[in-house]
Amino acid sequence: MMRRSIFGFLFVSILIVGCMGGELKMKYYEKRCSSVSVETTVRDIVWSKVAANPTMAAKLLRLHYHDCFVRGCDGSILLDPVQNSTTEKTAGPNRSVTGYDVIDEIKTALESDCPGIVSCADILALAARDAVSFQFQKEMWPVFTGRKDGPVSLASEVGVSLPSAGANFTTLVTQFGNKGLDIHDLVALSGAHTIGTSRCVLVARRLYNFTGVGDADPSLNVTYANELRKICPNPQIPTTTLEMDPNSSLSFDSDYYQALNQHKGLFVSDAALLTNPQSAQITQVLQNPSVFFARFARSMVRMGAIEVLTDDQGEVRTNCRVVNKQ
């Protein structure tokens, strides 16, 4: 039964990638970089980084997510600001994003072995997959490659396109829908919150002033809210971090959905998934680890195909932080 479902998933994924953006392919680099395996190079570097620092898995997954929701999966989040311009990485929601140094290291290695061929956008997609996969020591979803890098990165586009921790269900569905993703993708990709940490400032309103009269969010589990207040006293300390998935922030698992259904979702956007009957039902189904892994894999393939640039629509940067000189 498992074998049939996996093959079915791969077949559907190929069709999705073809219709959501430019054409991406499996083993795109096999003949283009005959002297080195691109996938192996990325995996080896990422796995070594995650082994040394398990928090890196969430950071690299987040980096890919933040890239894809603004201008598509084109590596635009990687571009540094130049002169008086502000790029995506300087926007408020991206100031806490890290992992850029790992992408730089991968790019340097690939440029040495296969110069001018492997895009930064593809490196982001592969690194995110491999970061999650390290825990399981196997690939958790296929990554289709052939993306090109975009030349434009604007801080002003981040707030409009990137779903926020404070978004309600209507806003989330709209923002995901704008990228060709549906309610199943929304709920499955929210499961990325099973790993990683956040900061008290993003939950302070839920704990201390939800409606402006010094109250807490009534949808938040009371015991959990009290635990959060101990970690995040008022006023907040900006550097204080807390787990997005209570007691399980280093393990990629379905515990996020179990906590969510106990009303222990950290963000407003997490709790929002329970405010719609269909999405609430999906959160219950995804408490099953096998179902979650399969659904998450499917949605990561779909997300990785958002508004991709292929062929002559973009470039392959030699340095992920700057566009190529014309």
Side-chain angles (χ1 to χ4, degrees):
M1 184 68 178
M2 178 61 73
R3 178 168 302 205
R4 287 198 297 272
S5 64
I6 290 174
F7 279 114
F9 158 65
L10 291 177
F11 176 70
V12 170
S13 298
I14 292 171
L15 295 179
I16 289 171
V17 171
C19 69
M20 287 187 66
E23 184 180 357
L24 302 179
K25 302 175 181 177
M26 291 298 292
K27 300 183 179 179
Y28 175 83
Y29 293 110
E30 190 170 55
K31 294 182 179 179
R32 291 172 173 83
C33 290
S34 57
S35 63
V36 64
S37 169
V38 171
E39 287 78 7
T40 299
T41 298
V42 176
R43 184 198 65 199
D44 288 351
I45 293 175
V46 169
W47 281 18
S48 70
K49 299 299 182 182
V50 177
N53 178 11
T55 66
M56 186 57 66
K59 294 173 182 178
L60 292 174
L61 180 59
R62 185 184 183 210
L63 189 54
H64 181 42
Y65 172 85
H66 281 229
D67 180 48
C68 288
F69 269 83
V70 183
R71 288 190 166 266
C73 308
D74 67 345
S76 53
I77 194 173
L78 302 174
L79 289 172
D80 284 339
V82 293
Q83 298 176 344
N84 295 322
S85 69
T86 54
T87 57
E88 291 172 30
K89 65 168 57 173
T90 67
N94 287 335
R95 289 175 191 163
S96 59
V97 172
T98 57
Y100 298 109
D101 54 331
V102 177
I103 304 302
D104 289 338
E105 183 174 334
I106 295 169
K107 180 62 173 174
T108 298
L110 291 173
E111 283 296 307
S112 175
D113 294 326
C114 188
I117 300 297
V118 184
S119 70
C120 302
D122 275 346
I123 292 173
L124 282 174
L126 290 164
R129 188 270 308 278
D130 294 337
V132 172
S133 298
F134 172 75
Q135 174 184 329
F136 305 92
Q137 294 293 294
K138 64 179 182 180
E139 294 181 355
M140 294 300 287
W141 63 86
V143 174
F144 298 83
T145 46
R147 298 169 186 80
K148 292 297 189 292
D149 299 321
V152 178
S153 182
L154 302 172
S156 60
E157 296 182 341
V158 175
V160 176
S161 301
L162 186 68
S164 76
N168 61 28
F169 183 78
T170 300
T171 300
L172 291 170
V173 168
T174 299
Q175 289 180 310
F176 273 68
N178 288 342
K179 300 301 178 182
L181 303 177
D182 61 24
I183 190 172
H184 293 278
D185 299 312
L186 165 59
V187 181
L189 292 174
S190 294
H193 289 171
T194 187
I195 53 174
T197 60
S198 185
R199 302 198 176 188
C200 292
V201 65
L202 291 179
V203 298
R205 177 172 161 266
R206 293 192 78 194
L207 298 176
Y208 297 106
N209 199 28
F210 189 63
T211 64
V213 294
D215 57 338
D217 182 350
S219 72
L220 193 60
N221 179 288
V222 174
T223 301
Y224 182 49
N226 289 333
E227 293 173 355
L228 291 177
R229 289 190 192 94
K230 293 177 182 178
I231 301 171
C232 301
N234 198 20
Q236 292 78 48
I237 301 172
T239 56
T240 302
T241 60
L242 65 167
E243 294 180 295
M244 291 192 290
D245 185 357
N247 304 314
S248 183
S249 65
L250 293 178
S251 176
F252 192 87
D253 52 38
S254 63
D255 287 1
Y256 164 81
Y257 297 101
Q258 296 171 18
L260 182 59
N261 277 284
Q262 296 170 17
H263 299 281
K264 295 180 181 180
L266 183 62
F267 303 126
V268 170
S269 61
D270 295 320
L273 302 180
L274 300 181
T275 64
N276 173 271
Q278 184 181 3
S279 64
Q281 193 274 333
I282 297 171
T283 69
Q284 294 180 17
V285 173
L286 296 187
Q287 292 182 73
N288 182 313
S290 297
V291 176
F292 168 54
F293 293 153
R295 297 276 186 91
F296 186 81
R298 174 183 178 274
S299 292
M300 283 300 295
V301 172
R302 285 170 56 82
M303 187 190 80
I306 294 175
E307 299 167 11
V308 295
L309 305 176
T310 57
D311 301 323
D312 60 355
Q313 295 174 328
E315 63 180 11
V316 174
R317 294 183 211 135
T318 56
N319 178 342
C320 290
R321 294 174 179 263
V322 297
V323 296
N324 296 340
K325 294 181 179 180
Q326 301 300 318

